[in-house]
Every structure is written in structure tokens, then in C-alpha cells.
Amino acid sequence: MKKHKLTLPYYACIALASLCFLNTSILEAQNKKKKKKNADTEVVAEAPKKSKDKTIEELVKSSKEIDGLFKIYQDTIKGSLQMLISEDQIGKEFIYFSQISNGVMDAGRAMRGIYQGSKVFKVEKYFNKIEFITQNTSFYFDPENPLSKSKDANISDGNMASIEIAAYDKDKKLYLIDADNLFLAETFSQIKNPSRPGASPTEFKIGNLDKSKTKILGINNYPENTNMEVEYVYSQPSVLNGGSNAVADGRNVSIKVYHSLIAMPENDFEPRFDDPRVGYFTTEVDDKTSASSTPYRDLIHRWNLIKKNPELELSEPIEPITWWIENSTPLEWRETIKEGVLQWNKAFEKAGFKNAMVVKVQPDDATWDAGDIRYNVLRWTSSPEPPFGGYGPSFVNPRTGQILGADIMLEFAHFSNRVFYDKVYELTSSTKSFENLTSNSNDHTYCFLGDELHDEMMFASSVAEAAGASDFELERIKKESMTALIMHEVGHTLGLNHNMKASQLFSPEQLNDPDFIKGKCLTASVMDYAALNVTKDRSKQGQYDDVAVGPYDIWAIQLGYKPFKTEAERQALLNESTKPEHIFGNDADDMRSPGKAIDPRVNTGDQSNDQIKWAIDRIELSNNLMKDLKINFSTTGESYQELRRVYYLLSSQKGSAANTISRFIGGVYVERSMVGQEGEKQPYTPVSLDDQKRAMNALSTYVFAPDAFDAPNDLYNYLAMQRRGFNFRTPEDPKIHEQVLGYQKAVLSHLLHYNTLQRISDSELYGNKYTLSTMMSDLNNAIFKSDISGNVNSFRQNLQLEYTNMLIGILTNKQGSKYSNLAQSMALYNLNAIKGMTSSGGDISSRAHKQHLKTLIDNALKEIK
Ligand SMILES: [Zn+2]
């Protein structure tokens, strides 16, 4: 039979399985003729019925065998896949992990190196089928507790696939299944992003999965993991919008994905549980048999680092965390990258490990790909539309929190002078991308430090250039910020999440002392998105960015990795959280978005323990630079693109600094120390009256005042983009009023946010002395008082109208009924006050503006009655 099979076509092979070869094959042929129309379905319907009598050997005869965790057979003619499951794999748990091997920004999150998370699945047998079932890992039941008998109640597992067994080997206890549907469809994970609600109909969308074009690109099988690279093709007959230049043909878009099926690690890894005082990534687990008000068994993500010599205070690990610098990395950056990674060894030494981190370079002739999960790779790309300058994802065993692999993606754009975003004066790029990218995903490892740093680096370089700095100094800015970026992204891969409060460590005076900061981390942690240290007084300029890990980092690594002898020892270390250098607050607490959080110390793009003073300095520094911009940034023989870039850069720095200041108004400091802990502070303390007043005065002067955005008028004549073919934005003139109003609106959207106003009223009950009525009266005065009786310049007209409309919005509930009664009363009071202030004085333009204001208010008052 075997001999015959080699030469027979597929349908005849099936027929051969029956003993009457001739008769059956004739019948088969006749049937085919009779039912020509249904030919396809007929063959498919018959195949399983007949193939069940074939042996595994027969079914894989024309296939290449690829041995590994799950043995794979690939047909040498058609490329189709079969997979072998052994009896001892049935009922067992495995880990599934996937990452994007290559894609385009246009397809949502489908970009090279994006991790799609890991999950646990079980292989089960159900009669004649093999099932792949996702396990729910979110709950814990104490096995000693009788409740554990009902641990499956109201919890859904996920049956991803149920595939008929094609052949069974009784002796070897092996099952063969067709694996095309496992890997060529979106069986294990969703690849195509669902379209966003409210997405514009003209927005680019990829088509539907085209199975005929989808194919296996590579199979790498190892004893511990089975890996498959698949190219998914999404097709549609026609497109309205063909996507960006990165898409060659909008009708056919490819997303390449690595799938990995991984053996559940069998080791004595000890899970550690999360503590709110330190910031590790976690897998959240609820203890359903605990009566505690905090029934959490959240597993922190950490590597399985074990001392080679446990008796030694300082020992090398049995297996270090090894990093590979991808061979695509520019040669001149390799040493800096290596040094950045190895800085973490200082933290591990405090945790008892010597040489915990090791760095190697991927050889140019390496036989492995950087996407191989067995290697942790520092990767380097130059993407058409880089979403971030750096990204440091890791993936874990969801049962224990053990980190199994990690990569770091770096973007060349980080070191270019390109501006990543178009409308620079809207939200900062990071806020924008953060919101877009995280809305569809639970991936908390997105990191936008690269973007922030890129802006900061351009700012620092512009200040240095304007002051005539040497090339050496400009290189130093790049090197320091690269070191900081690497340390930060590596920190993520060690399990640490952001610490946006870390920049509170030093005072402005300390940061202005080059000797004091030399060789240090400029904040408590490299996990912050701190602004670069750029001094207003150039003679005090020292280090620009972190060159070492910070004190918080060293403490946190000890908590995650130190082999504690007792729980008391761990608790004692945790109790050091009240030390100023262990200050911590992450993205959930940070105030980068208007109205989102409450502690102004937890913020991005800021610096020092006096952010108001720091922000004023930065605004003044930008204003000073603006004066000689044209002289310093115009180059003979070149276009004005560079001048335009620096103008928008300085303006956005001012906008960002203004936002930092605004967060103090209505702010409440948060402490997370435990009851009775040494150095304990009450959880909520409103910002002092002095600081809130100081913030309001600063906003009045630097954001709202009639001259706040003065720039040399003849500068505007030169803010020109360089023309490029037909692909040129029109109309091209600088939109100066829109830009300035953008910064002012950003500040107002925080001050007048329903959360901010509600908190001001509430915190009056527990220590806030800057009352809602005072704050809103001060704001009204800041926006109207200085010019309402005379001429109102065009920036102020814009601001006053926008603000008035916002007050009307509060009253007329255009934002729903989220505003408190107290806030609405003050909005009404202010509208009446504006009406009262509005005289008929001033030039025609000012009178027109005031009439407009009056009409708006009158109409609104009529509406609310
Ligand atoms: Zn980050």
C-alpha cells in the first residue's frame, strides 16, 4: 500500500484506504462527474471519514518532519501542516505567546516587535477531536478550602479550536491533526484590530483575512517550544484610502506574526506578590477563598534568577539575563547601549547577584533571527512612522509571573531631527499616541519615553547650539539620553513599570550644580519620563540626563530579586518606602492628561522638587531663545525648515511647562505608606494655598497674559516648510492664533475639568484653602481684568471667547451632567461678572469682540432660565 500511495493523487489515496481499490476509485471518479458542482465540498466531506483508517506514517509520507515540542509535518508539495500530539500532552497546560514579526502602523498595533501577550492553554481530547482551550488564570482558590470544589463556577475558559483526529497510533500513543486551521487562521490570537468606534469612514482599514494568500514563512521547533512565523494577508477588492507610504497596496496588507507554543516551565520558581509601594508589572490574581478586603495575589513579573553559590553574599546567577545587540545596530552606538544595560548590574549587586546582566552582539552571520523567543534582543529599526522611540516588552508565565523572554525596540528616528507629529500644538505626541494605542489593549508595557526624550533632546541641543556649544557637547547630549533610554527600557524588561514621581528627588539648586549631579541618576529612578536637565544659566549646565540607575531602582530590584531569608526581612525593606529617594507613582497616577489624576508630583516631562519654579525657568528659557531664533537657526543655502522646527519645539515646551504648573491647582498629594509604618504620612494632603496661588499667578503671567505668547513679529514671515513635490500641506501659512489657543485650551481643560472642580470643593473639607470660589474668581480675573475695558489683542480675544464658551458649557451641560452644582453656580457667577466687566471701550475689533461676548452670555442665560 505504501508503494502505491507515492504515485497516487490525493482523492485516490483516500480511496486506497478501502480494500477495493479499483471499485472504489472508479466509483470515486463517477461520483466526481455526477456531482461536479459540489466537487469541492464532496471531497472535503469524505476525506475525514476515509482517512481515519490511515496510519500516521501514511498521512505524513509526503511531508517534511520538523521535530520539537509539538512535532510538525509540512507537506513538501502543498506546504500544508500536520501536528502530532502525544498522549502525555493531553490534559497538560502550555503557554502561548505571539509577537508581530513585521507589519505596518496603518494596521493598528501591527508593528515589528510588538508583543501580544501570553496565555495558558490546555490540550484536551474530546471523542475524536483534539481541543485547544485557553485557561482562565485570574483566580486563586485555596485547595484546602471546600470552596475550591466550585472553582470553575461562572468562569469561562476559551475553546480556541476543536480539530478532528486524522490518525492515531495506539502503540506510540500519538494523535495526528491537521494544523492549517491552527496557524493560518486567527485561532490562537486576534491579529486584525477591530475598527474603533467613531472611526472616520475615510480612515484606512485593512480587508478581511484571505486564507488563500496566508502562508507559513518559517517553522522553528525546539524541545521546549514550537515556533511558527505566519504571513497573514488581509484583502479587499477596493479601497477609498490606500494608507500611508508604508503600504504598497492598500487592498492587500500583510501582517507577519510569530506564534510560540511553549512548554510550561518545570522549575522551583517562587512567585512574589505585588505591594502598592513599589512598581512592578503584575498578573492580577484574585483570591476567591480570602475574606480580606484586599484579596490580591498579584504576581510580579521577574526573571528566575538563582544564585550559583547561595551561601555567598554576592554570587553570580546560575543563568544570567543575557542581552543581544541586534546586528542592525549602528556600530557607533553599540558600546553606549552595552554600558546602559550593564548599569543595572549595580542594582543587582545590592540584591546579591554579580554579573546578573550580560551583553553580547548578534554576529552578522547568526543563524537565528532577532524574533526568536530564546534570545533577548536589543533591536534597531528605522520605521516609516515610528510610534515610539523605544519599547521594552517582556512576556511571562501567567501562572507564576516568571519572565520568559524580552526584547527592546529602538527607533533610529530618536536620533534624527524629524518632528514626529504634525500639529505640534495639540496634545503632546506621547499623550496622543498613548491614548490611541492603549484604548484597544491591555498592554501596559507601551513606553513613550523615546518620544519624550526625543523632544527633550532636541530642546537641549537647540539651547546648547544657540549658546555656541561644541560638537562634543552636542554628542554628549545624545550619548547621555541614549544611556537613559536604554536603562529605562531594560528596566521594563526586568519587571519595573514607570515611576513618574521620581523627578521629585532633587531641588532646582542641586540640578544647577554640575559637581553635585555628576555621575548620578537625575531623579530617583530611570523609570520616569523626566525632562532633560537644561539650565537657564549656561554656566551652571552639568549633566543633561541619567547616567546611572537611581536609588529607587536599586531598592525595587532588591524587592523583586533578593533571595530573602525571612518574610520579616522583605517587610523591613518594603517599609523603607517612606524614604524620599524611594518615592513612587506610576502611569495610573500621573497627571499628563487633563483631569485624570490628582498628585501634581506624579507627572511626565517635568523635573525637580519645585516643578512650578522649574516650569517658569523653562518658559523663560524658551522665550529668551525665541528672541534670536532667526539668527541662530537660519543657515545660508538651506531652507527655513530648521527655523520652523525650533519655533514649534520651543512653543510646545512652553505649552508642556504650562500644563505642569496647572496640575497644582486643585491638586492633592498622595501617599501610599501603610498604617504605622515609620515615616508614615496621611494618604491625602491638598496642595498648600501658597503653591496653588503661585501656580495661578504663573499661569496668569506665562499663559493668559496679553503678552504671554509674544514673539518677534518678523519671525512669522520665516516659519516656512520646505516644499516637497505635490505632497505638500496646504494652506501652508503658520496658524499662529490656533497654535497659541491650543496651549491655552490645554491648561483650561484641566482647570475647568469636572474632576478638578469637584476635587477643589471636596478637598475644602480636608485642608484645601484655595476654595472653588477664589480659584474661579482668580481665573476670571486672569483672563479678563487687564484689558477688558480697553483694547483686547487678538490672542486675548481668542482666549476670552474660548473660556466664556467653556463656562457656558459647564452651565448648559454640554458635557453631560458631570459638573457639580457648586461648579455650575460659579460658572454662572463668572458669566455675570464677565458681562459686568465688558464695557464698550476700545477699538472696533475690541468692541466687536465684546459684543460677541455679551451676545453669547445673554443667549446662554436665556437658555438656562
Ligand atoms: Zn517606559
Side-chain angles (χ1 to χ4, degrees):
M1 274 169 69
K2 279 180 188 171
K3 277 178 196 166
H4 289 295
K5 196 188 153 197
L6 281 175
T7 53
L8 291 170
Y10 179 62
Y11 66 90
C13 274
I14 297 163
L16 188 61
S18 94
L19 289 173
C20 322
F21 164 61
L22 202 63
N23 286 348
T24 321
S25 60
I26 290 167
L27 271 176
E28 187 80 40
Q30 284 172 346
N31 278 346
K32 272 203 93 179
K33 273 181 192 169
K34 273 185 201 168
K35 299 176 182 176
K36 229 177 185 177
K37 280 179 191 170
N38 298 326
D40 287 350
T41 48
E42 202 66 18
V43 173
V44 172
E46 279 184 17
K49 199 176 96 195
K50 294 192 172 180
S51 69
K52 74 181 174 193
D53 295 330
K54 302 220 44 157
T55 65
I56 292 177
E57 286 72 22
E58 288 162 348
L59 287 174
V60 302
K61 195 72 192 169
S62 64
S63 294
K64 183 183 162 198
E65 176 187 308
I66 306 149
D67 202 4
L69 178 65
F70 291 99
K71 193 180 278 186
I72 302 286
Y73 295 95
Q74 186 170 34
D75 190 283
T76 50
I77 296 160
K78 292 183 291 183
S80 59
L81 300 179
Q82 294 181 98
M83 188 161 120
L84 211 55
I85 311 276
S86 68
E87 186 112 346
D88 63 3
Q89 288 174 322
I90 307 279
K92 241 186 171 179
E93 286 192 337
F94 297 87
I95 295 166
Y96 166 79
F97 165 70
S98 72
Q99 62 170 312
I100 304 290
S101 117
N102 217 346
V104 281
M105 267 294 279
D106 302 67
R109 302 168 60 229
M111 296 156 285
R112 173 174 289 190
I114 292 287
Y115 276 24
Q116 299 199 300
S118 55
K119 61 184 175 188
V120 174
F121 71 94
K122 250 186 194 175
V123 178
E124 297 281 18
K125 183 173 167 289
Y126 178 77
F127 292 96
N128 65 337
K129 286 177 174 174
I130 296 291
E131 296 180 323
F132 294 81
I133 300 175
T134 306
Q135 302 297 296
N136 193 320
T137 52
S138 303
F139 304 99
Y140 169 82
F141 283 78
D142 178 354
E144 301 296 313
N145 191 315
L147 259 178
S148 63
K149 288 192 176 64
S150 66
K151 65 181 165 58
D152 297 329
N154 304 319
I155 289 168
S156 171
D157 287 337
N159 191 336
M160 296 182 286
S162 184
I163 301 171
E164 204 161 305
I165 296 164
Y168 173 51
D169 185 327
K170 250 185 195 163
D171 298 333
K172 293 181 186 158
K173 296 194 165 117
L174 296 170
Y175 300 93
L176 186 76
I177 57 168
D178 180 345
D180 279 350
N181 274 340
L182 270 186
F183 296 105
L184 296 179
E186 296 187 11
T187 305
F188 281 112
S189 59
Q190 185 179 320
I191 315 285
K192 177 184 167 178
N193 277 322
S195 55
R196 289 182 299 113
S200 151
T202 57
E203 197 171 281
F204 175 70
K205 291 183 198 74
I206 61 172
N208 294 320
L209 182 63
D210 186 333
K211 273 193 169 178
S212 65
K213 293 175 186 167
T214 294
K215 61 187 181 227
I216 305 288
L217 294 180
I219 303 166
N220 285 312
N221 222 345
Y222 307 102
E224 297 300 313
N225 47 65
T226 294
N227 308 284
M228 199 85 60
E229 189 184 9
V230 182
E231 178 174 348
Y232 292 89
V233 181
Y234 295 87
S235 294
Q236 52 199 328
S238 62
V239 284
L240 189 61
N241 174 349
S244 74
N245 287 346
V247 180
D249 175 0
R251 296 169 307 159
N252 297 292
V253 176
S254 285
I255 302 177
K256 297 173 186 169
V257 179
Y258 288 116
H259 298 278
S260 295
L261 312 182
I262 305 162
M264 186 59 83
E266 283 175 13
N267 55 24
D268 49 5
F269 178 82
E270 282 176 27
R272 284 191 188 178
F273 300 112
D274 188 42
D275 187 282
R277 292 166 286 183
V278 63
Y280 271 86
F281 291 123
T282 60
T283 296
E284 286 187 9
V285 178
D286 283 353
D287 183 346
K288 301 307 284 180
T289 44
S290 162
S292 160
S293 61
T294 51
Y296 314 143
R297 290 171 61 90
D298 301 341
L299 306 160
I300 67 165
H301 295 177
R302 52 188 283 266
W303 293 86
N304 189 22
L305 218 55
I306 300 164
K307 278 187 177 180
K308 210 183 264 177
N309 305 102
E311 70 286 357
L312 294 180
E313 195 65 24
L314 191 63
S315 161
E316 291 200 337
I318 295 173
E319 202 182 325
I321 303 165
T322 305
W323 279 99
W324 293 85
I325 295 176
E326 191 175 15
N327 53 22
S328 58
T329 307
L331 293 171
E332 64 272 27
W333 283 113
R334 294 185 181 186
E335 196 52 36
T336 305
I337 291 172
K338 184 179 172 183
E339 282 170 20
V341 178
L342 295 180
Q343 283 299 323
W344 281 100
N345 275 341
K346 289 179 188 160
F348 279 106
E349 279 171 19
K350 285 276 164 44
F353 292 97
K354 201 171 124 188
N355 300 327
M357 312 282 289
V358 173
V359 181
K360 296 177 180 175
V361 178
Q362 182 192 26
D364 282 335
D365 57 356
T367 51
W368 52 274
D369 182 87
D372 191 326
I373 57 161
R374 299 172 306 152
Y375 296 90
N376 309 312
V377 188
L378 290 139
R379 309 188 62 183
W380 198 283
T381 49
S382 182
S383 306
E385 293 176 70
F388 27 62
Y391 167 54
S394 58
F395 76 98
V396 302
N397 174 358
R399 288 283 182 212
T400 61
Q402 182 193 341
I403 298 175
L404 301 173
D407 285 311
I408 287 172
M409 304 300 300
L410 299 163
E411 275 289 347
F412 170 72
H414 179 64
F415 291 99
S416 71
N417 275 342
R418 270 176 272 162
V419 179
F420 291 166
Y421 40 90
D422 224 17
K423 285 196 167 184
V424 233
Y425 44 88
E426 283 189 342
L427 292 165
T428 67
S429 60
S430 55
T431 316
K432 214 169 169 180
S433 353
F434 181 79
E435 282 168 357
N436 285 348
L437 280 162
T438 50
S439 58
N440 292 336
S441 102
N442 295 320
D443 192 341
H444 45 214
T445 57
Y446 275 121
C447 182
F448 296 96
L449 178 67
D451 286 16
E452 296 270 353
L453 258 185
H454 179 257
D455 284 7
E456 284 293 322
M457 211 177 60
M458 288 201 300
F459 178 72
S461 304
S462 302
V463 173
E465 256 177 78
S470 63
D471 285 351
F472 177 75
E473 178 146 9
L474 295 174
E475 275 306 304
R476 186 163 71 86
I477 296 173
K478 281 189 183 178
K479 189 170 181 237
E480 285 175 9
S481 85
M482 174 57 116
T483 306
L485 178 65
I486 296 291
M487 290 191 295
H488 177 103
E489 302 302 344
V490 171
H492 281 318
T493 67
L494 298 173
L496 297 179
N497 59 38
H498 288 138
N499 183 352
M500 306 307 199
K501 207 175 189 176
S503 47
Q504 290 290 313
L505 185 63
F506 295 134
S507 66
E509 292 71 34
Q510 286 170 318
L511 291 164
N512 274 277
D513 181 344
D515 292 332
F516 175 79
I517 57 169
K518 196 172 181 201
K520 288 195 172 87
C521 182
L522 301 184
T523 69
S525 167
V526 294
M527 303 314 292
D528 200 346
Y529 285 3
L532 255 62
N533 180 37
V534 184
T535 58
K536 203 166 85 176
D537 179 349
R538 291 294 300 163
S539 71
K540 292 179 176 169
Q541 180 66 54
Q543 204 172 296
Y544 289 91
D545 210 341
D546 310 332
V547 295
V549 295
Y552 164 87
D553 303 319
I554 293 171
W555 176 67
I557 287 296
Q558 290 179 73
L559 284 164
Y561 291 90
K562 188 177 178 181
F564 292 110
K565 292 186 183 73
T566 60
E567 175 58 18
E569 193 189 347
R570 191 179 81 95
Q571 285 299 332
L573 193 61
L574 269 171
N575 283 338
E576 290 183 14
S577 72
T578 46
K579 287 187 175 178
E581 65 268 29
H582 296 162
I583 193 163
F584 165 69
N586 70 2
D587 311 54
D589 301 325
D590 82 52
M591 294 198 76
R592 83 182 96 167
S593 301
K596 181 181 142 246
I598 71 176
D599 185 340
R601 297 173 301 178
V602 192
N603 211 341
T604 60
D606 60 348
Q607 187 51 288
S608 93
N609 64 7
D610 187 347
Q611 293 144 282
I612 300 175
K613 182 180 182 339
W614 171 85
I616 292 173
D617 268 7
R618 183 146 288 201
I619 292 171
E620 287 182 348
L621 187 52
S622 302
N623 285 343
N624 289 344
L625 229 62
M626 205 67 105
K627 287 175 199 152
D628 296 319
L629 206 59
K630 203 159 61 138
I631 300 164
N632 287 328
F633 293 93
S634 310
T635 310
T636 308
E638 290 183 9
S639 73
Y640 292 98
Q641 184 91 25
E642 180 72 357
L643 175 65
R644 183 180 187 277
R645 177 184 71 81
V646 181
Y647 168 79
Y648 281 113
L649 174 70
L650 296 181
S651 304
S652 82
Q653 285 286 332
K654 286 168 64 178
S656 168
N659 288 338
T660 301
I661 297 170
S662 73
R663 288 355 184 212
F664 280 82
I665 295 168
V668 170
Y669 300 129
V670 180
E671 300 293 341
R672 303 214 185 274
S673 46
M674 298 292 173
V675 181
Q677 184 180 332
E678 195 186 330
E680 178 202 1
K681 284 185 188 148
Q682 62 184 19
Y684 297 137
T685 304
V687 175
S688 71
L689 176 65
D690 277 358
D691 279 343
Q692 293 197 63
K693 279 267 187 193
R694 196 153 68 99
M696 183 59 91
N697 288 336
L699 294 178
S700 176
T701 309
Y702 295 102
V703 182
F704 302 136
D707 62 351
F709 286 90
D710 267 2
N713 274 1
D714 68 346
L715 180 63
Y716 299 137
N717 299 74
Y718 293 89
L719 297 180
M721 281 195 281
Q722 181 173 316
R723 195 189 72 79
R724 184 185 184 189
F726 287 96
N727 186 18
F728 192 58
R729 196 169 73 185
T730 53
E732 64 171 274
D733 54 324
K735 319 287 183 298
I736 299 151
H737 285 96
E738 190 187 342
Q739 180 206 356
V740 168
L741 186 62
Y743 300 132
Q744 294 169 327
K745 266 164 74 174
V747 167
L748 286 175
S749 65
H750 180 72
L751 297 183
L752 296 179
H753 196 282
Y754 48 80
N755 284 340
T756 310
L757 299 180
Q758 159 262 315
R759 187 166 54 256
I760 292 173
S761 304
D762 284 340
S763 59
E764 283 178 34
L765 301 174
Y766 57 92
N768 175 24
K769 300 276 185 279
Y770 197 39
T771 61
L772 184 69
S773 54
T774 319
M775 185 291 262
M776 284 190 71
S777 300
D778 285 354
L779 182 60
N780 229 39
N781 287 335
I783 290 173
F784 286 97
K785 208 169 179 183
S786 64
D787 53 4
I788 197 67
S789 56
N791 286 341
V792 184
N793 76 27
S794 53
F795 290 122
R796 286 278 280 190
Q797 289 187 18
N798 233 0
L799 169 67
Q800 292 175 355
L801 267 167
E802 191 69 33
Y803 168 75
T804 302
N805 274 322
M806 287 171 100
L807 290 180
I808 291 170
I810 293 175
L811 261 180
T812 53
N813 274 339
K814 276 182 187 153
Q815 300 213 25
S817 53
K818 288 173 174 162
Y819 281 97
S820 68
N821 293 327
L822 305 171
Q824 292 196 337
S825 301
M826 272 314 297
L828 179 59
Y829 182 84
N830 274 358
L831 285 171
N832 280 314
I834 295 165
K835 223 179 127 184
M837 279 192 269
T838 314
S839 68
S840 55
D843 54 21
I844 294 178
S845 161
S846 303
R847 278 183 280 161
H849 163 66
K850 290 171 196 177
Q851 274 179 24
H852 189 176
L853 281 175
K854 266 187 187 166
T855 310
L856 274 177
I857 296 171
D858 285 342
N859 288 343
L861 295 180
K862 266 183 234 157
E863 202 183 315
I864 58 163
K865 295 207 171 87

